[in-house]
Structure formats: C-alpha cells, structure tokens
C-alpha cells in the first residue's frame, strides 16, 4: 500500500470539509504522526512478548549487527536501519581467547548495586538519546546483535509508487485515528501535541 492509497482510504472515511483543510504537507504530517504513535501504542500494549506483531511485521529486523566504539553504538547510524524498538539484544566480549556472547538486558536499577552489576556473562545496556551503551564498561564489547522494529517510515500522501508494506488491519487503524484528529475542532493543537510526543518517543522507545 502506497501513501497515496492510504490517503485515499482516509478521504473515503471522512467528510470533504476536513480533507480540503489538509494540503499534501499537512496530510503527510498527520498520517506520519498517527502511524508513529500507533506503532508505539501497539508495542507498549504487546509488552515483552516474543511474538512478532502482525501489523508491524514489515518493520521487524532480526540478527542485525553493529560494532560498538568504547561500548557505545548509535541507534540511528550503526545498525542497518534506524532502531525504533529493541526486542532482543546480545553482546559479544572476547577476553583471554575466550568468547562471551550473551543476552544483554536493560539496566533498571542502580549500576553500583551488586544485584544489578553487569558482567560479560550478564551484560546490560542503557540508552541516552540516540546512543546505546553496553556494560560492563571495563571490558570491551566487540559486537552487538539486535532484533528490533525499525523506525516507522514517513508517509507521503502524494507518493503512488513506494510500497509502505502495510496490511489492511494497520491501514484501517491509521485511518481511524487520523479521522478522529482531522474531525477535531482543535486539530492543529492535537497535531502539535502529537509532534511533541514524538520527541519523547524518540528518547524512550528504545528502552
């Protein structure tokens, strides 16, 4: 499904007075913001379940690798795609000819706590902005392997050629959410709030 086809479904589902208000730029911004926030909601609701979400299977990447620099990788440039939501992460350490390759869990507690202490057998990570840092930092992490959902693509309602990979279920959910916003008398405020929420999503969604 292309951006133009998705927007045609939106036009069919709402009154002409609302679609006339939206030029291509506004319409693309609306659809992109709704898509991104819907992705976050679906992933939030799914929790830590291992099953890949049917609606977001087009965004799912497995066994992508990156090489850290001083145990740090960029979530926007070091993997093959921009990382939106981490599902599984493994860290590789090599010391004295021995390789340690283990699941890497997110830091939830205090780093100086003995219960939370990271080791090569039980590595941990934290995110800050676009960066991910692997612990223990006194050992060198040589490789990270990650399963993740990539960054949601921007939707261009004028694009009639690029396949976004949406199934009908996801397209219908985007349209329903977009119709609610477009029909709102304070739609500009809602769009602004969604945009601000995206800033927070960028900071928090990889945790």
């Amino acid at each position: 499904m292309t951006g133009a086809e998705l927007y045609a479904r939106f036009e069919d589902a709402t009154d002409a007075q609302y679609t006339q208000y939206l030029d291509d730029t506004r319409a693309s911004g609306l659809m992109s913001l709704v898509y991104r926030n819907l992705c976050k909601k679906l992933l939030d609701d799914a929790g830590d379940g291992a099953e890949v979400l049917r609606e977001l299977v087009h965004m799912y990447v497995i066994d992508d690798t990156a090489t850290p620099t001083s145990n740090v990788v960029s979530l926007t440039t070091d993997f093959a795609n921009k990382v939106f939501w981490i599902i599984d992460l493994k860290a590789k350490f090599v010391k004295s000819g021995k390789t340690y390759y283990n699941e890497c869990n997110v830091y939830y507690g205090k780093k100086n706590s003995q219960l939370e202490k990271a080791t090569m057998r039980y590595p941990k990570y934290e995110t800050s902005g676009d960066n991910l840092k692997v612990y223990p930092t006194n050992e060198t992490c040589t490789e990270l392997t990650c399963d993740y959902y990539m960054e949601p693509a921007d939707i261009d309602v004028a694009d009639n050629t690029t396949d976004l990979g949406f199934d009908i279920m996801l397209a219908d959910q985007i349209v329903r959410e977009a119709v609610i916003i477009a029909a709102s008398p304070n739609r500009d405020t809602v769009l602004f709030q969604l945009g601000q929420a995206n800033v927070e999503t960028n900071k928090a969604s990889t945790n």
Side-chain angles (χ1 to χ4, degrees):
M1 181 174 294
T2 66
E5 290 170 335
L6 180 67
Y7 192 58
R9 297 175 72 88
F10 170 79
E11 289 182 306
D12 289 341
T14 192
D15 294 334
Q17 60 179 311
Y18 302 129
T19 55
Q20 288 173 1
Y21 163 80
L22 297 169
D23 56 23
D24 282 355
T25 300
R26 285 176 179 268
S28 296
L30 169 64
M31 306 306 278
S32 296
L33 284 168
V34 169
Y35 173 36
R36 183 184 181 89
N37 281 274
L38 180 58
C39 288
K40 184 178 185 301
K41 181 179 184 301
L42 289 170
L43 290 165
D44 270 336
D45 291 346
D48 295 328
E51 184 175 344
V52 179
L53 295 178
R54 171 187 165 187
E55 300 98 321
L56 304 184
V57 67
H58 63 286
M59 295 167 53
Y60 195 64
V61 179
I62 61 171
D63 292 339
D64 193 4
T65 60
T67 302
T69 301
S70 299
N71 285 26
V72 175
V73 294
S74 168
L75 295 169
T76 60
T77 60
D78 286 342
F79 289 97
N81 309 276
K82 290 184 178 180
V83 178
F84 180 68
W85 197 280
I86 293 172
I87 295 300
D88 184 66
L89 185 70
K90 292 183 175 66
K92 181 180 179 180
F93 296 82
V94 179
K95 186 175 183 179
S96 301
K98 185 174 182 179
T99 299
Y100 299 82
Y101 181 63
N102 295 293
E103 184 173 354
C104 192
N105 295 310
V106 65
Y107 250 127
Y108 287 115
K110 297 179 179 179
K111 298 182 186 66
N112 59 357
S113 165
Q114 288 301 310
L115 293 175
E116 285 288 325
K117 184 178 180 180
T119 67
M120 290 186 291
R121 292 185 184 277
Y122 302 100
K124 297 193 176 183
Y125 74 91
E126 65 178 357
T127 58
S128 177
D130 293 332
N131 291 328
L132 180 149
K133 187 173 186 177
V134 182
Y135 294 84
T137 54
N138 62 329
E139 304 291 350
T140 301
C141 178
T142 58
E143 184 178 81
L144 290 173
T145 303
C146 192
D147 296 352
Y148 60 88
Y149 289 93
M150 72 175 71
E151 184 87 8
D154 288 333
I155 297 173
D156 180 357
V157 301
D159 186 346
N160 202 27
T161 58
T162 304
D163 185 3
L164 295 169
F166 295 172
D167 68 4
I168 296 301
M169 183 183 299
L170 178 61
D172 286 346
Q173 290 182 77
I174 294 172
V175 167
R176 283 196 298 269
E177 295 290 334
V179 166
I180 292 171
I181 293 171
S184 170
N186 61 337
R187 53 194 164 224
D188 283 331
T189 300
V190 174
L191 282 172
F192 174 77
Q193 290 172 342
L194 276 173
Q196 292 298 104
N198 275 336
V199 174
E200 297 306 314
T201 298
N202 281 330
K203 295 178 181 177
S205 62
T206 51
N207 287 331

